[in-house]
Amino acid sequence: MLQALVDGALARRWLTAAVALCLIVAGAWSFITLPIDAFPEIAPTQVKLILKAPGMTPEEVEARVITPVEQHMLGMPGQTMLRSVAKYAIADITISFSDEADIYWARAQVSERFASVAGDLPAGVTGGLAPISTPLSDIFMFTLEGPQDLAERRRVLDYVVRPALRTVDGVADVNVLGGRVETFEIVPNMASLAAAGIELGSLRDAVMAGNRNDGAGRAAAGESTLIVRSVGAVTTLEDLGAIVIRTTPAGSVRVRDVAEVRIGSLARYGAVTAGGRGETVQAVVIGLRGANAAQVVDGIKARLAELEPTLPAGMKLHVFYDRSELIDHAVGTVEKALLEAAVLVVVLLLLFLGDWRAAFVVTVALPMAALMTFILMRCFGLSANLMSLGGLAIAIGLLVDGAVVVVENLVEQLSRTDPRSRTVRIGLATGEVIQPVASGILIIILVFLPLLSLEGLEGKLFAPVAVTIVLALASSLFLALTLIPMLSDIVLRGHAEGEEPWLMRRLNPAYERVLSQARAHQRIVAGVAVGALVLAGFAYTRVGKIFLPTLDEGAVLVQLAKHPSIGLSHSIEGDIAVQRTVLAQVPEVTDAIARLGTDELGLDPMGLSETDIFLALKPQEEWTVSDKAALTAKIRGALSAHPGIEPSYTQPIEMRVSEMLTGSRGDLAVKIFGPELSELSRLAGAVAAQLRQTRGATEVITVADDTVDYLQMSIDREGAGRAGLTVTEVQDGLRAQLEGLAAGSTTQGLRRVPVVINSGASQSADSVAALADTPLIGAGGQMVRAGDIALPRRVAGPVKLEHENGSRFALVQAFVSGRDIVGYVADAQARIAANVPLPPGYRIVWGGQFENQQRAAKRLSLVLPLALLGIFALLVLTFRALRPALLILLMIPFAMVGGVLALWTAGEYLSVPASVGFIALLGIAVLNGLVMVSYIRQLRGAGVPLAEAVEQGARRRLRPVLMTASIAAFGLVPLLFATGPGSEIQKPLAIVVIGGLVTATALTLVLLPLLYARFGEAKVG
């Protein structure tokens, strides 16, 4: 069938050319229109429920909100994980589904079950499904700067910028942070209220009843009808003050008679500061799951460009995070490597073939295979990202393997005198190598298939690599058997018999001498081979193991942890001080934007003690330090002067991915499961202490053993009753003193403004005594101190409570630097086993990057042997014999030798990318062995004696073996020296392949002929 494909392409050259032209056009269009992002979609199918429970402590949120919701959410079809976090006044519930689940189906399931439990939740609990987003959805961030106050900037952000951006295609939502949300504030005079006999509840009821528009129906007006509207809604402060609360014989009591009416702001649960200057407002644009990030960012920029001229005078947008920059840098890194590799491949082809025509024919296979790959990527719904384009970069040296073998054989055959036509000779010469070419490419495809079986994050990252490589290799095989023979028939026409290229004239005699010496000293060769295996085994034990190298996103995110009971104003002051220190002492940082507390949507529910500081950096060529690690160390040194804070260092996407996987932000997440809070807190503190003492830990963080202070007001029901107050009225009075009591809302144009009763706005509530003196008004105007009917008492409670699949756990996070994560965990596990005994009913789970690495290693250890078995079966089918198949498989361990030694000497860790490099190396080693052994067996089939066949076969296949190995190696050299984002993932792979090809090629050319001569065929007689 494959020979018929070759003959058809040669017989119908113009049709083949027309198909090639169509592929060029379709490929170029596919490349231009491919979705572009920095990374593939790595998030599982996840649905988040964000529920706000004002005034509830974490324990109350856990018991009254999370537990009933979890009971309804557990056991949904396709559910893989249920994770919950209870913090003050907020519940964050994440439900993960299998990858096969459609996101809209999953949201429908969650929505349906939530509807059945929503009625059982306490009054005042609000919220629901979060936007359809992923950890990669924070694609654009900016602040609004200007002379306007925080309330005005927040108003513009809420009612001008946010609605406009939400209309951009691909935007899921816009998260607004910082500033002050404007309110109509009623500040009651409690003495006046008491004198008038008006309770706080009556004031609220009157305000809500006096703030309403309604329709009364239709009234006849002659032949027409008029729609009747009754207008009574509040639109101004004067309207609010004129609302009548009560009418007595002495007259009416209006709101303005017993209270001050003014513009105020809602209680704040967070803030944003920038540049050490002070507070500002920030917007985070959240991309829709599956959207083309590059196009969405372009749409956002276009919409902001339209909006900016309409903003108030002096107000400017300050963009500090733009995902398109990371996309451009990451994709640009790979594209540059691809271009450089293509140039190196062309140079090598010229050196080995010694004929620009032959080199041109082979070179054509590169862009054509890439264009065909882009067409297939679009058909399969793949995006152009760091990983998929990285797969193409990995395969660039392999894409020409088929063409190299075909053209090399054509050049050899055409250099001989033959009366048959050139077309016939090209068809026959191509037919000679169809089997090794097709089998070799199929073998390489087969070795990459195990990557498709990877699970979790590693599967989502490296499946695009494997798919792209498979598509590219399939395209290269098609081209090697169609376009390459046709072009050879045209371009190589007139090629006369000639001498060997300059490079081969020098390599052939040297190789013959080496092979002769190897035959004469076979024991020494065997000893060197075995010694190399032993050395590689030793090196393997010295190479550390990690999941993935840290990808440089071009930004630094500093996370600050402060005392859990810190107040908002003090937390803001601390953030500003930290920003000023960093900007003054670290010249590489150009700006710092800090966010503390909870955001509006609740996607990242932090407390007032938690801050994320985004550091904008200069271009790396302007740094005074060598790399990111040195920069982080410099920042860490600068922050050491700030007592009372615990900084940790990460990056925006890295942080979100860690949160997605484990609900935490560290390299290592240690989860301690158990029933009792006090025991979990004790164990978390003990585990954290052991992790800090283990070499390699830079930061170890846990809030499980932290407590936050609460002022608990225990209400005396009898005392409250004697004062004419219910428990709810006492609680409303306390809320009005602090956060404010909601009393409806009003509209100002298109915006809604909350109406809030705030009895404590004009007095201090910073102390227990002030709160105890809060006046409460009972029935008939009786006034009583809050402290007389509610006993204030300081108590300590947990900062947050976490569940996983319905079980409570405590979390300890660790950031590891300077050593491999697997070695660190092994040491930490030994220390904890010896020093932290676990009571019955408690267990420890090791998660984070370590869990990912273990899962990937386990999966590869299962599927790689199956792939090797498949390769062995394919070799047996190709040769129809066991011995040559076994000999080729014997080359695999020797190929691994160079890869392991290269990792060890380079100081790199064995990671998933390095494992992908070993997989690629395995395929190339088998391909080179196949090329040599197949030709030796071809000579034997022609009756050539074994010794002569081995010698001729080795000499004849020197050029194709060297070409495939050197092209594959040099094709990866640009990745070895690349420095942009994404190069950290590609570098270990390139080190393994290049190092492995050195030993694999040497042993294929020297050891394989010796082994075949001795064991390749059964002895006759």
Side-chain angles (χ1 to χ4, degrees):
M1 182 179 73
L2 295 179
Q3 183 64 54
L5 185 64
V6 174
D7 295 339
L10 288 171
R12 300 171 181 82
R13 292 192 304 186
W14 298 114
L15 177 61
T16 305
V19 171
L21 185 60
C22 290
L23 288 175
I24 292 172
V25 174
W29 177 83
S30 297
F31 176 71
I32 293 170
T33 58
L34 269 178
I36 301 176
D37 204 342
F39 303 98
E41 184 54 72
I42 59 175
T45 303
Q46 276 188 345
V47 181
K48 285 179 76 73
L49 278 169
I50 307 295
L51 303 175
K52 297 181 180 179
M56 289 192 190
T57 66
E59 290 171 294
E60 290 176 305
V61 171
E62 179 193 45
R64 303 179 64 189
V65 179
I66 282 181
T67 298
V69 171
E70 282 185 339
Q71 296 304 312
H72 281 72
M73 295 297 167
L74 285 169
M76 280 187 287
Q79 185 184 89
T80 58
M81 178 68 72
L82 174 61
R83 187 180 295 122
S84 307
V85 178
K87 288 191 172 184
Y88 174 72
I90 196 164
D92 183 352
I93 303 170
T94 303
I95 305 103
S96 299
F97 294 83
S98 61
D99 293 335
E100 294 75 24
D102 176 74
I103 182 63
Y104 295 99
W105 174 87
R107 288 173 69 85
Q109 297 297 306
V110 173
S111 181
E112 179 182 316
R113 295 214 179 188
F114 179 66
S116 66
V117 72
D120 299 331
L121 299 180
V125 173
T126 60
L129 297 181
I132 306 175
S133 61
T134 71
L136 302 181
S137 290
D138 293 354
I139 58 176
F140 200 80
M141 305 182 195
F142 61 92
T143 59
L144 271 185
E145 307 293 345
Q148 294 79 9
D149 61 20
L150 290 173
E152 174 65 10
R153 279 184 272 167
R154 177 63 185 252
R155 183 190 66 77
V156 171
L157 206 52
D158 277 332
Y159 295 102
V160 177
V161 178
R162 185 185 185 197
L165 291 181
R166 291 181 72 178
T167 64
V168 175
D169 188 33
V171 171
D173 210 334
V174 180
N175 209 353
V176 178
L177 308 99
R180 296 181 181 274
V181 178
E182 186 179 283
T183 64
F184 276 17
E185 189 172 73
I186 301 169
V187 184
N189 183 313
M190 301 305 288
S192 298
L193 278 179
I198 299 172
E199 303 92 349
L200 204 60
S202 298
L203 172 62
R204 180 175 62 175
D205 293 343
V207 169
M208 297 181 71
N211 180 22
R212 182 174 177 231
N213 288 344
D214 199 5
R218 297 174 185 271
E223 296 180 355
S224 303
T225 60
L226 300 177
I227 298 173
V228 180
R229 293 183 65 241
S230 55
V231 178
V234 170
T235 59
T236 65
L237 292 177
E238 288 73 20
D239 292 342
L240 184 59
I243 292 175
V244 176
I245 305 170
R246 176 177 297 173
T247 301
T248 66
S252 298
V253 181
R254 296 161 298 185
V255 170
R256 65 170 174 259
D257 297 330
V258 294
E260 178 188 359
V261 180
R262 65 189 187 186
I263 297 297
S265 62
L266 288 179
R268 300 201 294 163
Y269 289 96
V272 176
T273 53
R277 299 181 297 273
E279 289 192 61
T280 186
V281 294
Q282 173 190 344
V284 179
V285 184
I286 301 169
L288 192 66
R289 179 188 177 97
N292 184 337
Q295 287 185 1
V296 176
V297 171
D298 288 342
I300 293 168
K301 290 178 178 177
R303 188 59 50 85
L304 289 177
E306 295 172 4
L307 284 177
E308 196 157 12
T310 68
L311 298 178
M315 189 177 290
K316 297 292 182 183
L317 294 164
H318 171 59
V319 178
F320 64 90
Y321 182 76
D322 181 349
R323 176 65 58 78
S324 64
E325 295 178 359
L326 177 61
I327 293 172
D328 292 342
H329 291 155
V331 174
T333 298
V334 181
E335 288 178 344
K336 180 184 177 185
L338 277 169
L339 182 61
E340 293 172 348
V343 172
L344 288 173
V345 168
V346 172
V347 171
L348 286 171
L349 289 171
L350 284 170
L351 287 174
F352 277 106
L353 294 175
D355 182 344
W356 70 266
R357 294 182 180 86
F360 168 76
V361 172
V362 175
T363 302
V364 167
L366 269 179
M368 288 300 298
L371 291 172
M372 283 188 68
T373 304
F374 294 140
I375 295 171
L376 294 172
M377 285 173 65
R378 184 161 184 82
C379 292
F380 284 95
L382 294 177
S383 65
N385 54 63
L386 176 66
M387 303 309 293
S388 60
L389 293 180
L392 197 57
I394 294 166
I396 193 166
L398 306 176
L399 294 183
V400 295
D401 278 353
V404 162
V405 174
V406 169
V407 171
E408 195 273 342
N409 199 52
L410 293 179
V411 170
E412 180 69 22
Q413 295 298 331
L414 291 176
S415 65
R416 300 173 184 173
T417 303
D418 194 317
R420 290 173 294 188
S421 69
R422 185 174 304 276
T423 301
V424 171
R425 293 165 64 191
I426 286 176
L428 292 174
T430 304
E432 289 178 0
V433 293
I434 281 180
Q435 189 178 52
V437 166
S439 298
I441 291 178
L442 286 176
I443 284 171
I444 296 178
I445 289 174
L446 194 59
V447 300
F448 279 103
L449 290 182
L451 292 181
L452 297 178
S453 71
L454 292 175
E455 302 171 308
L457 175 62
E458 62 275 16
K460 291 179 174 61
L461 278 174
F462 288 95
V465 175
V467 171
T468 305
I469 290 174
V470 169
L471 296 179
L473 289 173
S475 301
S476 72
L477 177 59
F478 173 78
L479 293 169
L481 302 182
T482 54
L483 183 62
I484 298 304
M486 186 274 288
L487 282 177
S488 299
D489 195 14
I490 298 173
V491 176
L492 298 184
R493 187 175 298 278
H495 179 76
E497 182 175 353
E499 61 181 10
E500 288 184 325
W502 174 87
L503 182 62
M504 295 310 301
R505 290 201 304 272
R506 278 145 185 81
L507 290 178
N508 275 328
Y511 176 56
E512 289 175 4
R513 290 193 296 272
V514 170
L515 197 59
S516 175
Q517 290 294 319
R519 282 197 300 268
H521 305 89
Q522 294 189 21
R523 291 182 180 275
I524 295 177
V525 172
V528 170
V530 173
L533 284 175
V534 173
L535 180 61
F538 169 77
Y540 180 79
T541 62
R542 312 298 295 176
V543 174
K545 300 173 184 65
I546 62 172
F547 175 55
L548 287 175
T550 300
L551 175 70
D552 182 6
E553 300 174 28
V556 173
L557 195 144
V558 183
Q559 297 172 296
L560 303 182
K562 308 157 197 165
H563 190 279
S565 296
I566 193 171
L568 177 62
S569 60
H570 287 85
S571 191
I572 291 172
E573 291 171 4
D575 292 347
I576 292 174
V578 165
Q579 293 171 50
R580 289 173 178 169
T581 297
V582 171
L583 290 171
Q585 298 185 21
V586 186
E588 290 80 3
V589 178
T590 59
D591 201 0
I593 295 88
R595 175 177 71 83
L596 71 90
T598 300
D599 58 308
E600 183 185 74
L601 297 180
L603 294 178
D604 191 9
M606 301 193 302
L608 298 181
S609 62
E610 298 170 293
T611 298
D612 288 342
I613 303 181
F614 184 98
L615 302 181
L617 306 178
K618 291 180 180 179
Q620 192 161 356
E621 56 269 19
E622 300 179 23
W623 290 7
T624 60
V625 293
S626 58
D627 54 22
K628 193 73 155 296
L631 177 62
T632 302
K634 191 173 183 180
I635 298 170
R636 183 181 287 112
L639 295 189
S640 62
H642 290 266
I645 65 169
E646 293 183 17
S648 57
Y649 304 88
T650 181
Q651 302 176 102
I653 294 178
E654 181 184 0
M655 175 187 72
R656 295 298 183 200
V657 171
S658 296
E659 289 177 339
M660 173 195 73
L661 294 174
T662 64
S664 69
R665 298 180 171 189
D667 298 328
L668 176 64
V670 183
K671 297 177 182 177
I672 309 158
F673 288 86
E676 295 298 328
L677 279 177
S678 57
E679 186 63 20
L680 284 175
S681 176
R682 184 190 69 80
L683 290 172
V687 168
Q690 296 301 320
L691 292 179
R692 289 189 184 97
Q693 295 174 27
T694 305
R695 183 178 62 85
T698 54
E699 290 94 24
V700 177
I701 301 170
T702 180
V703 297
D705 61 343
D706 287 344
T707 58
V708 63
D709 292 334
Y710 294 95
L711 182 62
Q712 184 168 295
M713 305 291 290
S714 300
I715 299 172
D716 177 1
R717 287 179 173 81
E718 292 187 3
R722 286 193 297 269
L725 291 165
T726 65
V727 169
T728 299
E729 288 171 337
V730 174
Q731 291 170 338
D732 286 346
L734 293 172
R735 182 182 296 279
Q737 177 72 15
L738 297 175
E739 288 191 352
L741 191 62
S745 63
T746 182
T747 57
Q748 298 288 293
L750 297 178
R751 63 190 182 99
R752 296 175 63 85
V753 179
V755 178
V756 176
I757 300 171
N758 193 337
S759 60
S762 59
Q763 51 189 299
S764 172
D766 289 340
S767 66
V768 175
L771 189 59
D773 289 336
T774 298
L776 302 175
I777 302 172
Q782 180 181 355
M783 186 179 290
V784 62
R785 288 177 66 252
D788 293 337
I789 58 174
L791 178 65
R793 183 166 60 94
R794 280 183 182 266
V795 296
V799 175
K800 70 175 179 178
L801 298 172
E802 297 180 273
H803 286 195
E804 191 170 284
N805 290 330
S807 299
R808 184 185 281 170
F809 72 92
L811 177 68
V812 183
Q813 306 167 64
F815 294 84
V816 179
S817 179
R819 67 177 301 188
D820 66 297
I821 189 72
V822 174
Y824 175 84
V825 170
D827 290 350
Q829 286 176 330
R831 295 183 68 97
I832 290 171
N835 300 306
V836 186
L838 294 178
Y842 291 80
R843 60 189 174 92
I844 291 180
V845 174
W846 299 78
Q849 300 286 348
F850 171 74
E851 182 181 18
N852 300 331
Q853 189 276 335
Q854 293 289 289
R855 184 178 58 241
K858 182 179 179 181
R859 173 63 60 156
L860 288 176
S861 67
L862 291 175
V863 297
L864 278 178
L866 295 177
L868 289 174
L869 188 62
I871 291 171
F872 178 69
L874 190 58
L875 290 172
V876 171
L877 288 174
T878 300
F879 295 124
R880 303 185 185 278
L882 286 175
R883 284 175 178 258
L886 288 172
L887 283 179
I888 291 176
L889 284 185
L890 190 61
M891 292 295 100
I892 292 175
F894 295 104
M896 303 297 112
V897 167
V900 173
L901 293 177
L903 274 183
W904 182 36
T905 54
E908 290 284 339
Y909 297 131
L910 178 61
S911 58
V912 175
S915 300
V916 174
F918 281 113
I919 289 172
L921 187 58
L922 184 154
I924 299 169
V926 171
L927 174 63
N928 281 340
L930 178 65
V931 168
M932 177 169 287
V933 170
S934 61
Y935 190 69
I936 293 173
R937 289 178 62 81
Q938 182 181 333
L939 293 174
R940 290 289 289 145
V944 179
L946 178 60
E948 185 180 345
V950 169
E951 184 177 351
Q952 286 187 26
R955 189 171 61 249
R956 177 67 183 84
R957 285 298 181 240
L958 173 65
R959 181 162 64 176
V961 167
L962 286 178
M963 285 177 71
T964 54
S966 59
I967 287 173
F970 278 89
L972 293 175
V973 165
L975 294 180
L976 195 62
F977 296 101
T979 56
S983 60
E984 302 87 357
I985 290 180
Q986 312 293 351
K987 186 177 180 180
L989 185 151
I991 289 174
V992 167
V993 174
I994 294 172
L997 282 175
V998 173
T999 57
T1001 304
L1003 292 167
T1004 298
L1005 292 174
V1006 176
L1007 186 61
L1008 184 58
L1010 300 181
L1011 291 174
Y1012 193 91
R1014 187 162 185 174
F1015 305 108
E1017 298 179 5
K1019 303 297 181 182
V1020 179

